[in-house]
Amino acid sequence: RRALRGVARRRTPAASFAGDPEEYVKGVLKRAQERKSGHHVMRMFDGRIISVSESAIAEGWVATLEDVTAQHQAELDRNKDERERDKFLDAADRYELLPALDRWVLCSAIDALRAQGHSLAELPYCFTVNVSAASIAGGKYSSFALEQIALAGLPAAAFCFEIREAAAVNHLQAAEQFI
């Protein structure tokens, strides 16, 4: 107990521990006494983020610490990218640009795959293209897609069109026609 308190107190001024050392020691001792494994994250004064896993073992208690600052930052960046993408798609929807965006995505995919030609039919996978509810509701996207794929000389089986369940349910007849 005294050693654990000493470690926490020494780490506080060194900016490698953020929080109340006494509360930290009480929590560790309580979990150890109850033989409860646990996991928590500590934010350090210097900005680092440390993942702590604690486990009871036959002869006592073990705690594993890992600096997860880089992983945390990557997750924040990924979430920021998703929020930006969502803002873009919301604006495209608001200004009724999703059908044009869907057509552009398909044409871009076709352009990227055109050089592969009929060898795509021999591949054991397909290329997935998301289609918005607005394109499904418009009823013209399926004929556009088939026409563009045929004009490029690509096999239709090389493409898989992904429709959200809500879009399919809300526009059932158009979705059935598309499928």
Side-chain angles (χ1 to χ4, degrees), residues 4-80:
L4 186 58
R5 248 187 220 103
V7 169
R9 284 191 183 123
R10 280 192 299 277
R11 288 175 50 209
T12 300
S16 66
F17 178 77
D20 179 6
E22 290 302 318
E23 288 299 315
Y24 175 73
V25 170
K26 284 180 192 175
V28 169
L29 293 175
K30 181 180 179 198
R31 288 188 298 277
Q33 184 179 20
E34 294 172 353
R35 313 263 320 143
K36 287 186 177 177
S37 297
H39 179 265
H40 60 278
V41 174
M42 295 189 315
R43 293 183 181 274
M44 302 297 142
F45 287 132
D46 62 3
R48 291 178 302 131
I49 299 170
I50 306 295
S51 172
V52 181
S53 295
E54 300 169 330
S55 300
I57 58 174
E59 299 297 320
W61 188 255
V62 67
T64 306
L65 289 80
E66 179 184 6
D67 187 335
V68 295
T69 308
Q71 294 95 322
H72 179 73
Q73 188 58 49
E75 187 175 327
L76 289 176
D77 292 345
R78 188 171 42 255
N79 289 341
K80 179 183 176 195

Side-chain angles (χ1 to χ4, degrees), residues 67-100:
D67 187 335
V68 295
T69 308
Q71 294 95 322
H72 179 73
Q73 188 58 49
E75 187 175 327
L76 289 176
D77 292 345
R78 188 171 42 255
N79 289 341
K80 179 183 176 195
D81 291 345
E82 289 175 10
R83 285 191 306 274
E84 294 300 319
R85 183 199 68 220
D86 289 345
K87 285 180 187 177
F88 172 76
L89 291 175
D90 287 346
D93 187 27
R94 186 174 330 119
Y95 293 107
E96 299 177 0
L97 297 173
L98 286 177

